[in-house]
Amino acid sequence: MKSALCILVALLASTAGAQPYPSRPVRLVVPLSPGGFADTPTRILAPRLSEQFGRQFYVENRPGAGGTIGWDFVAKSAPDGYTLGITGSTLLIGAHLYKNVQYDALKDFTHITMMASGPYVLVVNAQKVPANSVRELIAAAKAQPGAIDFASSGNGSSQHLVGALFNMMAGVQLNHVPYKGSGPAMQDLLGGQVGVSFAGVPNVLGNVRGGKLKALAVTTPKRWVELPDVPTMAEAGVPGYEATLWLSISGPAGMPAPIVQRLYTEISKALQDPELQHSFRAAGVEAMAMPPDELNRYMASEYEKWGRVVKETGATVN
């Protein structure tokens, strides 16, 4: 049925030469709640694309089931370029966690370009866990296996898996405490109910600068511009550790190549704007484009990586 739909779209495109893409508004589906890691950068980008294309690009949130509801909607939409989705590392993690997903994270989408990437920050409440470095945290965790809690936004979330990867690579047993969202997790971290978390830059920056939390490391291979004195995890004592949280833009499988190329070109142009780049950094991510072929290769490697983490840690969902 999908192939028949693709043929129909191609036929319509061939008979509609007087209406170059896009001829009507384009929907950007964010499969998570408003105001989060995926939503904020998308809302910064959308007006730029509207201006460049001369047609409205609007954001539609379709949260639920770890993003799988929104991604399923995108995968089953017509591959005509008018329904796009914000994909990324969470799409690949969820593909391993949810057993009844009705789409293939790699094959059922046209992956157009990377949009942004950023780190999580390993932070501690020093009143609860008096560690001044990653090495000190590892030593304390090894001295008392399972006694130090780390908070996440929920079972199977990116925060959970980033922490699970740390446990695996550092050889420790931080105890995972899942919450219903990153907000409650941060609240209990600040209150001292838990001592450790891997959290997004916007959620921790003010608290680190204000002395309420101590940043021990960032999870990316390079230091973060807003936290220049905070080492990478590899620098801090866990060689080979990398957990970059990234966002990409995708459509249903079978999108026409000319539409994909135009979207990639215009999105790349928008991401080069200095004002947009500044706004992205304030949202905790770095603007970056990536050609479709390169993105597909990167996603395949990330798919395998997070699959191993899920399998080896026994991560589960609610």
Side-chain angles (χ1 to χ4, degrees), residues 97 145-167 172-181 185 193-198 313-318:
L97 288 168
I148 298 176
D149 296 331
F150 84 91
S152 87
S153 55
N155 283 321
S157 66
S158 297
Q159 283 183 287
H160 176 194
L161 269 293
V162 168
L165 181 62
F166 176 79
N167 273 351
V172 296
Q173 296 177 32
L174 298 181
N175 180 51
H176 176 227
V177 180
Y179 287 81
K180 293 181 178 180
Q193 279 74 36
V194 291
V196 180
S197 189
F198 295 79
T313 62
T316 58
V317 296
N318 288 324

Side-chain angles (χ1 to χ4, degrees), residues 210-270:
K212 295 180 180 179
L213 297 175
K214 185 170 185 60
L216 303 186
V218 294
T219 63
T220 41
K222 295 181 180 180
R223 296 192 182 198
W224 185 247
V225 62
E226 298 288 344
L227 295 166
D229 297 327
V230 178
T232 67
M233 196 74 76
E235 291 173 330
V238 188
Y241 184 102
E242 176 188 346
T244 300
L245 280 298
W246 49 274
L247 300 171
S248 52
I249 298 178
S250 307
M255 285 177 58
I259 292 179
V260 173
Q261 182 58 45
R262 184 162 187 226
L263 282 165
Y264 167 68
T265 300
E266 295 295 337
I267 293 168
S268 298
K269 178 182 176 182

